[in-house]
Amino acid sequence: MSAGSIAAGIAAGGFVGTLVLTTVLRAAGEAGLTRMDVPFLLGTVVTVDRARAKAIGYVLHFVNGQVFAFAYFAVFLAIDRTGWWLGALFGLVHGLFAGTALVNILLPLVHPRMGSRSTSAPDVALLEPPGFLMLNYGPGTPLVTVPAHVAYGALVGGFASLAG
Amino acid sequence: MRTARDSPGTGRLRSPAGAVARVDGYAPLRDYAVIGDGRTAALVARDGSVDWLGLPDLDSPAVFGAVLDARRGGRFRLEPAVPYRAERRYLPGTNVLETTFVTGRGTVRVTDALTLHDDTALSPMRELLRCVDGLSGSVPLRWSVQPRPGYGGRRVRLVRRSGVPVATTGRAALAVCAWEAGDPECEGDTVGGRFELARGRRAVIAMPFADQEPLVLPARHEAETRLERTGAAWRGWTHDRTYAGGWHEAVTRSLLALKLLVFAPSGAVAAAVTTSLPEDIGGERNWDYRFSWVRDSAFTLAAFLRSGCPTEAQAYFWWLMHASQVTHPELNVLYRLDGGHRTPERTLPWEGYRGSGPVRVGNAAVGQVQLDTYGELLQTAWLYARAAGHLDADVARRLAELADLVCATWRRPDSGIWEVRSPPRHFTQSKMMCWVALDRAVDLAERRLIPDRHISRWRAGRQAVRDFVESRCFSPYRDCYVRSAGSEDVDAAVLLGLLHGYGDARDPRLRSTVDAVERELRQGPYVLRYTGEDGLRGTEGAFVACSFWLAEALARTGRVGEATRLMDDLVALANDVGLYSEEMDPADGAFLGNLPQALSHLALVSAACAIDAAGAGDAPGAGPAGAGADG
């Protein structure tokens, strides 16, 4: 397969995948299934203005979507295989990683306004930590976030496959 | 002088100053002080026993629970091995506790803290630190640590790592590091030691804890440095508080107690440190208060804003709006400190404080309909918006939807502010707070801080609620607002109508209601909650917050002298370290209910500020921020 054309597919898949993932999470929030709001969590890294945080967060979220898509791309190249189902598998791993390590452990440590298990008096966190599988944001959160990541991965893999 | 050993017998528990008394292994609730680190908190009895500690967090299962089961609950004892009397205080401006044991052989001082993180050393995840200083003579002491993790439900394995006793239970572990405190001996699942401390010597016992990570075993100098820094951090926090009124010491201690109830990782404010401390000794009124009640939000935000805690105020409001998102537009009565909204209730196989079972964890009130919470949330948002000058679009939209919900639901009966477990009723205070909800929504919309599309609906709803309250919730016979529509019972909660702005100090009905509460519910400085039944067996004590609400109501209605006298009496009712539980026994001042209780301390701060303002000649306000809006 041609790396250049696949890279274009990866970029497109990353964009569409992030679009779908974001839409699913937003819709789940409106439906009362979760309080997870990735753009808000990302945007509040740089500002306490909630409205600006969400705007900046969406930009950062789409940038992250591209970063992860190209991480998938590296693995596709390494194993010389691609496809929507392989992408979906990556998405599953990605979703579980996000819920158990990335957002649960790493984000609270680097986020200047998010609480972690280390936050103590007299400091106060402005944002509650997501917890294991982001369950602090509602019991339905992993049921939404993991499938959303699977969809993201499938779209990245699918677009890469189509481009290849 | 009495010994700290468990003494037989039953009866009332109130130890005279300095003496230490336990009945059937239970200390008087008045004898407890609290220490904490913003994530968890411990109760320390006058006799030096840590009888309650949840780890790693405030709402985690207890490792020490002797306050709820003296035999099986587990504790960390540390006391002279000879008869003694004890005096104690918090180090000024801190939540570091200092207990001085005076014996016939000399005097020692124990300093207790849950330490804060240290920048200079690797800190344990959580650390209970106890330092003992010899002040005079030479005093023999004994100590023992009986960890009972998971409310005593998990098996403890006691091993030694690098010579240090370590208790492990699956994913969690705690160690007992002792310096100059005798050789720790392990016996069964208990670690203990004996030592003698001479004047000028210091013994240190550290109990680091880890959950899902390796234990950090501190060096002695690191632990002692961390204690110093912990005291300094608390003093720094206290220094920045701004209350300068007539009850400075009581308000400062209340703020420090409230700060211990702020769950730092999320900003939530717990209602109390404990679960199931009884409102009626031997009775069934035992509830888990380690959650955050929306009901407390207005007082919480007002207290934070008035005392120069804008960070805590912002964090709490953000948390409140974030936590309530999943259930929106309906509000849970309470939320977990991590923002979760499920708090299933179950009972533990513990006997309960002095036989007061059941011991409950979780709280079934989460599923009740309590309409007043909408009023409190909108009042909170109103206070926040006034302080911040704006509300973000999402929050504004959700507040407008809450007002719509109030319009649709205010006619429902509910369980009310006191969370009765009898059938729902049309409680007056609930309706008054529905009025407050709609009034604040109208005000916010008029200021263009929330969408105003439904403002006419809110105005009409507001008037309908007022018509209901005025026609059905006021008794000409009692000459006061009554507990619920059509009843003749008196309820101190209707004072909140005055405090939160349903009406103002000129309203003759509210003024006569203040008189009725004094007449029917007040016993000296104590104020009972209500007359009438509530679906539970047994009786209860006087509700501390109601006493402060009455003091505030007296001040707002111009009776400043009477309010000041009542306030002075109430401040004197705190225990020796300035803490309040939920209730007190009017007969002897014994503490009842969970402690320290956020609402009691919030009501103290609110009353102090209101009386100060009234005494300074400020116009009586309608709400806790000193301003209100009439519909």
Side-chain angles (χ1 to χ4, degrees):
Chain A
M1 57 186 175
S2 155
S5 58
I6 295 178
I10 287 287
F15 178 77
V16 176
T18 309
L19 200 67
V20 169
L21 187 149
T22 308
T23 305
V24 168
L25 289 183
R26 188 66 244 149
E30 288 294 331
L33 296 175
T34 179
R35 293 185 285 124
M36 184 64 185
D37 187 338
V38 178
F40 181 62
L41 294 185
L42 294 175
T44 47
V45 170
V46 293
T47 178
V48 291
D49 183 305
R50 296 175 68 106
R52 285 184 61 199
K54 289 186 179 179
I56 295 169
Y58 272 104
V59 174
L60 293 175
H61 189 40
F62 276 85
V63 170
N64 281 349
Q66 290 298 312
V67 170
F68 277 104
F70 277 91
Y72 286 24
F73 177 40
V75 182
F76 289 149
L77 284 181
I79 63 176
D80 197 25
R81 297 183 71 172
T82 186
W84 67 266
W85 57 271
L86 192 57
L89 185 64
F90 287 8
L92 175 65
V93 174
H94 179 183
L96 292 173
F97 174 70
T100 54
L102 185 67
V103 177
N104 179 32
I105 305 290
L106 297 178
L107 186 61
L109 297 181
V110 301
H111 197 302
R113 295 174 183 88
M114 179 176 284
S116 75
R117 302 183 90 194
S118 302
T119 306
S120 68
D123 294 326
V124 175
L126 269 175
L127 286 169
E128 59 179 314
F132 181 68
L133 287 176
M134 300 177 265
L135 284 166
N136 289 0
Y137 295 162
T141 306
L143 302 178
V144 173
T145 53
V146 173
H149 280 83
V150 171
Y152 165 85
L155 286 163
V156 172
F159 270 81
S161 181
L162 288 174
Chain B
M1 189 183 299
R2 301 167 72 171
T3 69
R5 301 181 71 83
D6 300 347
S7 39
T10 56
R12 290 203 180 282
L13 274 176
R14 182 155 192 202
S15 50
V20 176
R22 282 186 181 248
V23 171
D24 297 332
Y26 293 97
L29 295 179
R30 181 173 269 278
D31 269 7
Y32 283 103
V34 64
I35 55 175
D37 62 5
R39 299 161 301 199
T40 190
L43 291 187
V44 188
R46 177 186 290 279
D47 60 10
S49 178
V50 178
D51 286 348
W52 178 260
L53 175 61
L55 284 172
D57 299 324
L58 188 70
D59 55 356
S60 300
V63 170
F64 300 138
V67 71
L68 291 175
D69 194 314
R71 285 184 303 115
R72 294 176 295 174
R75 59 167 57 127
F76 186 161
R77 299 176 72 163
L78 170 58
E79 63 183 350
V82 293
Y84 61 83
R85 64 183 170 82
E87 297 162 2
R88 59 189 182 165
R89 63 166 189 158
Y90 283 108
L91 292 177
T94 76
N95 277 314
V96 176
L97 182 69
E98 191 182 83
T99 306
T100 303
F101 293 110
V102 180
T103 78
R105 295 178 55 176
T107 302
V108 293
R109 186 173 60 212
V110 177
T111 306
D112 289 321
L114 280 159
T115 60
L116 306 178
H117 273 217
D118 192 349
D119 296 332
T120 61
L122 182 61
S123 306
M125 182 187 198
R126 307 284 186 271
E127 180 185 49
L128 172 61
L129 191 59
R130 316 194 74 179
C131 293
V132 194
D133 291 288
L135 301 182
S136 69
S138 185
V139 180
L141 294 109
R142 62 189 170 201
W143 59 272
S144 64
V145 181
Q146 300 170 304
R148 299 289 182 269
Y151 302 117
R154 291 191 205 140
R155 190 170 156 270
V156 178
R157 273 188 66 228
L158 207 53
V159 296
R160 282 188 183 266
R161 305 261 164 77
S162 309
V164 175
V166 174
T168 62
T169 52
R171 68 184 208 180
L174 66 82
V176 181
C177 308
W179 299 276
E180 288 194 47
D183 284 333
E185 294 176 1
C186 301
E187 190 177 319
D189 48 14
T190 300
V191 185
R194 302 176 80 93
F195 62 104
E196 183 147 341
L197 198 66
R199 177 174 178 271
R201 304 297 300 176
R202 168 177 266 199
V204 178
I205 307 173
M207 195 188 83
F209 175 85
D211 181 51
Q212 297 185 70
E213 66 177 45
L215 263 175
V216 173
L217 302 176
R220 173 177 181 158
H221 74 276
E222 291 172 358
E224 290 184 274
T225 302
R226 202 156 34 244
L227 180 63
E228 294 297 320
R229 287 169 175 262
T230 297
W234 281 119
R235 282 190 293 277
W237 186 84
T238 304
H239 180 264
D240 292 337
R241 308 288 68 87
T242 55
Y243 174 82
W247 290 278
H248 185 265
E249 195 175 330
V251 168
T252 301
R253 178 49 53 196
S254 287
L255 292 173
L256 280 160
L258 289 167
K259 184 66 176 169
L260 286 186
L261 294 167
V262 174
F263 185 59
S266 71
V269 181
V273 164
T274 53
T275 177
S276 293
L277 294 183
E279 297 169 16
D280 174 26
I281 302 292
E284 62 175 340
R285 296 165 185 255
N286 319 311
W287 316 110
D288 193 349
Y289 276 16
R290 297 168 300 164
F291 306 106
S292 192
W293 265 254
V294 176
R295 168 162 308 115
D296 297 351
S297 63
F299 277 119
T300 303
L301 209 78
F304 284 158
L305 291 173
R306 282 169 159 168
S307 54
C309 305
T311 309
E312 285 81 0
Q314 185 184 20
Y316 178 64
F317 185 68
W318 277 43
W319 174 84
L320 189 59
M321 294 310 299
H322 199 195
S324 58
Q325 202 167 310
V326 167
T327 56
H328 181 80
E330 292 187 359
L331 285 176
N332 267 19
V333 173
L334 54 104
Y335 293 89
R336 288 204 318 257
L337 302 181
D338 62 13
H341 62 280
R342 288 172 54 81
T343 60
E345 191 172 286
R346 65 188 174 95
T347 58
L348 300 178
W350 278 355
E351 70 169 358
Y353 179 80
R354 296 179 64 201
S356 307
V359 173
R360 295 183 175 92
V361 293
N363 199 312
V366 70
Q368 288 186 347
V369 175
Q370 296 178 20
L371 293 172
D372 65 296
T373 55
Y374 296 91
E376 273 109 12
L377 183 70
L378 274 148
Q379 171 79 358
T380 301
W382 182 76
L383 290 169
Y384 180 83
R386 284 202 339 156
H390 69 277
L391 290 167
D392 80 274
D394 266 5
V395 169
R397 175 179 59 82
R398 288 178 52 204
L399 292 173
E401 289 167 359
L402 283 176
D404 290 340
L405 186 70
V406 172
C407 283
T409 59
W410 73 265
R411 289 183 176 80
R412 293 177 66 183
D414 72 338
S415 298
I417 182 172
W418 303 126
E419 304 182 345
V420 296
R421 299 209 171 186
S422 49
R425 282 196 255 173
H426 293 286
F427 285 103
T428 304
Q429 191 267 350
S430 296
K431 305 304 183 199
M432 284 178 167
M433 292 310 293
C434 285
W435 184 94
V436 170
L438 295 172
D439 184 71
R440 297 303 177 256
V442 167
D443 188 63
L444 289 169
E446 286 172 347
R447 294 167 192 258
R448 301 200 172 278
L449 290 169
I450 66 173
D452 61 1
R453 286 192 304 278
H454 297 156
I455 191 168
S456 55
R457 180 193 301 171
W458 302 339
R459 285 193 179 113
R462 181 177 62 178
Q463 188 57 46
V465 178
R466 185 178 281 281
D467 291 345
F468 182 93
V469 171
E470 297 304 319
S471 62
R472 299 195 47 196
C473 301
F474 188 86
S475 163
Y477 171 70
R478 291 274 188 187
D479 195 22
C480 70
Y481 291 104
V482 289
R483 188 175 172 208
S484 60
S487 88
E488 292 294 335
D489 291 324
V490 181
D491 184 353
V494 297
L495 295 175
L496 294 175
L498 175 62
L499 272 51
H500 284 318
Y502 171 77
D504 68 20
R506 292 159 296 186
D507 185 336
R509 287 189 161 194
L510 279 170
R511 295 174 76 95
S512 63
T513 298
V514 175
D515 293 337
V517 169
E518 276 215 281
R519 192 172 58 242
E520 304 284 339
L521 298 175
R522 183 176 175 181
Q523 299 176 18
Y526 302 103
V527 177
L528 301 170
R529 288 198 282 192
Y530 45 76
T531 61
E533 59 82 36
D534 56 13
L536 291 166
R537 291 190 300 271
T539 58
E540 61 173 17
F543 201 80
V544 175
C546 290
S547 296
F548 285 112
W549 294 345
L550 178 61
E552 182 168 348
L554 289 169
R556 288 182 184 278
T557 50
R559 295 151 70 179
V560 180
E562 195 179 340
T564 303
R565 284 191 293 280
L566 176 56
M567 188 71 185
D568 286 339
D569 289 345
L570 292 171
V571 166
L573 290 178
N575 74 356
D576 58 319
V577 288
L579 300 179
Y580 293 87
S581 59
E582 180 186 24
E583 299 184 2
M584 289 188 199
D585 186 339
D588 60 2
F591 277 13
L592 297 168
N594 289 302
L595 78 140
Q597 176 84 355
L599 191 57
S600 301
H601 287 280
L602 288 166
L604 183 152
V605 174
S606 186
C609 293
I611 298 170
D612 286 334
D618 293 0
D630 275 320

